[in-house]
């Protein structure tokens, strides 16, 4: 049996808080301090009061929102931006987006500064 679960070191939290740093990296190339998963889970709960997966979901949604706000609607679509952030089911993306931001992603895109 293994010893007690230790919280993730702050370097693991910093690595996890920068998804752009590892979004396209193969799984095996993640920093070694990001494992084991249980240590990462404990660290996130202790320091951020959220699970790593919920943190990632929230971060992706907010970054998609930022992209929709700043995108040119003639050059970008909701689908293009959503797919770029890993959303494959556009209906679920729209529902989640609307519940978080109070409007559909298409409304945000068409209100952009362009």
């Amino acid at each position: 049996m293994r010893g007690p679960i230790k919280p993730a070191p702050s370097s693991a939290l910093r690595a996890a808080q920068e998804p752009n740093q590892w979004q396209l990296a193969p799984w095996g190339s993640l920093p070694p301090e990001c494992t084991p998963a249980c240590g990462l889970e404990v660290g996130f709960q202790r320091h951020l009061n959220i699970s790593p997966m919920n943190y990632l979901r929230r971060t992706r949604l907010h970054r998609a929102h930022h992209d929709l706000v700043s995108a040119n609607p003639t050059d970008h679509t909701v689908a293009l931006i959503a797919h770029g952030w890993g959303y494959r089911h556009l209906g679920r993306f729209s529902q989640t987006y609307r519940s978080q931001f109070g409007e559909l992603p298409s409304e945000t895109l068409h209100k952009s500064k362009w």
Side-chain angles (χ1 to χ4, degrees):
M1 187 159 143
R2 296 181 185 193
I5 297 172
K6 296 179 182 175
S10 60
S11 59
L13 291 173
R14 281 193 304 276
Q17 289 174 332
E18 290 299 327
N20 286 340
Q21 299 293 321
W22 49 265
Q23 176 182 1
L24 301 176
W27 176 252
S29 67
L30 291 175
E33 58 267 12
C34 285
T35 56
C38 58
L40 187 63
E41 180 82 26
V42 170
F44 264 76
Q45 289 297 338
R46 179 172 292 153
H47 297 286
L48 301 173
N49 199 31
I50 191 170
S51 73
M53 186 54 75
N54 284 337
Y55 180 87
L56 181 59
R57 284 185 187 119
R58 185 182 68 184
T59 300
R60 287 172 48 223
L61 187 63
H62 281 270
R63 295 208 177 161
H65 173 72
H66 176 268
D67 288 355
L68 287 164
V69 167
S70 60
N72 181 341
T74 60
D75 297 333
H76 295 84
T77 64
V78 170
L80 180 69
I81 292 170
H83 286 153
W85 284 104
Y87 293 98
R88 299 296 174 245
H89 192 287
L90 294 179
R92 272 189 237 133
F93 169 70
S94 291
Q95 284 178 323
T96 304
Y97 187 93
R98 187 177 200 170
S99 69
Q100 177 68 38
F101 300 107
E103 64 184 10
L104 293 171
S106 58
E107 294 170 331
T108 302
L109 179 62
H110 293 291
K111 288 190 329 187
S112 68
K113 297 173 181 136
W114 288 93

